[in-house]
Amino acid sequence: MVQRVSAIIPGMKVRIRFFAIARERADRSEVLLDVPANASVGQALDVVGLQFPKLPAILRRSMIAVNREYVERDHRLQDNDEIAIIPPVSGGAP
Amino acid sequence: MKIVLTRDVLDADTLTSAVQKPENGGVVTFLGVTRNHNEGRKVLYLEYEAYEEMAQQELQRVAEEASRRWPGIDIAIGHRLGRLEIGEVSLIIATGAPHRKEAFAACAFAVDHIKETVPIWKREVFAGGQVWIGSEEHAEAQSPAT
């Protein structure tokens, strides 16, 4: 008897938000992305970089926030996380 | 502690009043003002963009850190967003402390630290182009010959 493979590995949906020069290079302010379960921030950024060829240089120089907290590239994502691409900031005083 | 992130004109009196209390003998109000020149370019206007939900939170953290370093101070921060003309105020930081030394120090600390972690970006529109300050294209704009 043939055994059916029913355990499809579930992926995750994450929301990527772009700001400032990253928003301009991506030509949009956000995108929903499918990533493998337990993917890291770095893996998600690789997917973003492939989807938006003008972005990789910006991504390398950006800080990343997940759900409004700064994280490192090895941070593990969860379903429905909001990932913000934060290019070098320049607010505040002249 | 008062934090304001707004597209409206910032009011220095309101933010200063927030830290002007009977126990504070020293009150410092810093204004960041849109300048008409930058790195040799004639600036026409600036545009500020923010990740607003997080910027509010990070401004709050700067204020909390200042309060931790100088216990007992009062602090109010206002940051403007959107298009700012030359001479308009983009940032106000008001600090109040029993003595002037703490008020000056806490104000300077907050001004410096807002530049590090708060997700707000400035686009400079100048005669002949525009640039996101801090970006790679900013570096290109500074050295067009290379």
Side-chain angles (χ1 to χ4, degrees):
Chain A
M1 192 175 156
V2 178
Q3 196 177 356
R4 283 186 62 192
V5 179
S6 58
I8 297 168
I9 297 171
M12 306 187 295
K13 272 214 185 318
V14 295
R15 180 184 304 275
I16 313 283
R17 295 186 65 178
F18 303 109
F19 295 95
I21 193 168
R23 175 177 53 72
E24 288 188 345
R25 294 281 168 93
D27 200 24
R28 69 203 65 204
S29 57
E30 61 176 59
V31 66
L32 285 173
L33 203 68
D34 291 303
V35 295
N38 204 32
S40 68
V41 165
Q43 289 170 318
L45 295 184
D46 287 344
V47 177
V48 172
L50 288 172
Q51 203 166 332
F52 302 98
K54 292 179 184 169
L55 271 184
I58 304 290
L59 294 175
R60 278 194 293 276
R61 305 177 62 245
S62 295
M63 293 194 288
I64 304 298
V66 172
N67 304 332
R68 304 175 196 173
E69 298 290 344
Y70 288 111
V71 298
E72 300 296 329
R73 296 308 205 255
D74 60 2
H75 176 87
R76 293 288 161 182
L77 295 168
Q78 298 188 334
D79 203 18
N80 297 317
D81 273 352
E82 177 175 290
I83 304 165
I85 312 299
I86 303 189
V89 301
S90 53
Chain B
M1 199 174 289
K2 182 181 175 75
I3 308 294
V4 177
L5 192 60
T6 178
R7 294 181 171 272
D8 298 329
V9 172
L10 290 171
D11 181 29
D13 285 346
T14 302
L15 288 161
T16 304
S17 298
V19 304
Q20 201 169 343
K21 298 180 177 176
E23 63 269 31
N24 290 340
V27 169
V28 171
T29 303
F30 172 86
L31 307 183
V33 182
T34 303
R35 187 175 57 209
N36 69 357
H37 63 94
N38 191 33
E39 293 161 356
R41 302 186 293 266
K42 181 183 184 327
V43 178
L44 302 177
Y45 62 91
L46 297 179
E47 280 180 359
Y48 284 92
E49 172 177 337
Y51 178 11
E52 293 191 32
E53 311 94 300
M54 188 173 169
Q56 179 86 28
Q57 163 193 303
E58 294 298 319
L59 286 172
Q60 177 83 27
R61 285 183 176 166
V62 170
E64 285 167 1
E65 180 61 20
S67 299
R68 197 186 63 77
R69 292 185 182 217
W70 292 276
I73 63 154
D74 290 289
I75 180 165
I77 303 177
H79 204 303
R80 177 106 176 257
L81 300 176
R83 174 170 169 159
L84 272 76
E85 307 300 330
I86 303 305
E88 288 197 290
V89 175
S90 58
L91 174 72
I92 296 178
I93 298 181
T95 51
H99 302 283
R100 68 182 183 282
K101 193 176 170 189
E102 289 74 21
F104 275 121
C107 190
F109 170 86
V111 171
D112 289 342
H113 280 69
I114 281 174
K115 285 205 161 296
E116 295 174 1
T117 58
V118 182
I120 299 180
W121 299 270
K122 174 165 59 183
R123 176 163 52 189
E124 177 189 301
V125 179
F126 54 91
Q130 57 180 42
V131 65
W132 285 103
I133 301 298
S135 70
E136 201 167 281
E137 64 179 17
H138 179 212
E140 289 161 13
Q142 281 177 299
S143 51
T146 55

